[in-house]
Amino acid sequence: MNWLNKLRMKTDRGLVHLAIWVNGHDIAFLVSSIGMIVMLLWAGSFKMTRPGAEGIIPLVSNSPLIWWHFKVFGPYIGSDLIGLTEWLYAVLIIAGYFRPKAGIAGGLVGIVIFFTTSTMIVTTPGAIISVPGIHGMRYMSFLGLFLFKDVISLGVSFYLVSYFGKKAISSENQC
């Protein structure tokens, strides 16, 4: 066996061991859940400020799913309610560390939140734009890219439901 094949086999083994270590230490869960908690607490807090509320008016008012929200509650109370919902999701993730069913509930709240906000990519004016000089192609603006993080957050929410679900099943089987 030549040195190149030996190097490849050693590298392959090293990658497998790294993947096993990452899985065994729940790195994906820790990064996803802590990142989500920080984002939710921070974003939820910002939505409870005047600039935060005013910043989401174009998003909410153009949404086919929650356009009515600001009509019923007004932009400031409506934005506070959205922020509180984000805080609720964060608290349920934290509670899920100790009570996995709370984490499942939190993940379901997140799925509703981020499914709703993900649809805003196509309904918010200016999120998808044409670039002058390039015909037939549309791009996401900075606003569109900002909203696209919610598609990723939707995936994380599904992941958290799955993770906490496995933990809940495991703890029920131990009883």
Side-chain angles (χ1 to χ4, degrees):
M1 188 178 291
N2 68 24
W3 68 270
L4 192 57
N5 281 340
K6 287 181 185 178
L7 178 64
R8 185 183 58 77
M9 287 176 58
K10 199 174 218 177
T11 302
D12 288 350
R13 264 186 266 127
L15 290 172
V16 169
H17 287 294
L18 175 63
I20 290 168
W21 183 87
V22 166
N23 184 58
H25 288 84
D26 285 332
I27 302 299
F29 167 72
L30 291 171
V31 171
S32 298
S33 64
I34 293 169
M36 188 65 78
I37 290 165
V38 170
M39 182 184 74
L40 290 164
L41 293 175
W42 212 334
S45 297
F46 183 63
K47 286 183 181 76
M48 292 182 222
T49 67
R50 179 176 288 277
E54 291 169 358
I56 64 171
I57 289 171
L59 307 176
V60 173
S61 33
N62 286 292
S63 169
L65 301 176
I66 60 168
W67 61 269
W68 54 269
H69 187 75
F70 283 178
K71 298 229 185 281
V72 171
F73 300 110
Y76 300 106
I77 293 173
S79 188
D80 287 350
L81 292 172
I82 292 169
L84 288 170
T85 305
E86 292 174 342
W87 279 7
L88 172 65
Y89 181 17
V91 168
L92 287 170
I93 294 170
I94 294 166
Y97 288 12
F98 310 100
R99 301 269 191 241
K101 289 180 183 176
I104 296 168
L108 294 173
V109 169
I111 288 168
V112 172
I113 291 170
F114 293 116
F115 174 78
T116 301
T117 56
S118 292
T119 65
M120 293 176 186
I121 294 169
V122 293
T123 62
T124 302
I128 299 181
I129 58 171
S130 298
V131 176
I134 302 176
H135 301 288
M137 187 69 181
R138 310 270 297 162
Y139 297 91
M140 277 191 226
S141 66
F142 287 119
L143 175 60
L145 292 170
F146 166 76
L147 288 168
F148 194 77
K149 67 148 177 26
D150 291 353
V151 174
I152 298 162
S153 297
L154 176 62
V156 170
S157 298
F158 275 109
Y159 168 73
L160 291 175
V161 168
S162 171
Y163 181 90
F164 286 125
K166 288 176 188 172
K167 289 291 184 189
I169 291 167
S170 174
S171 65
E172 285 181 2
N173 288 341
Q174 290 176 356
C175 294

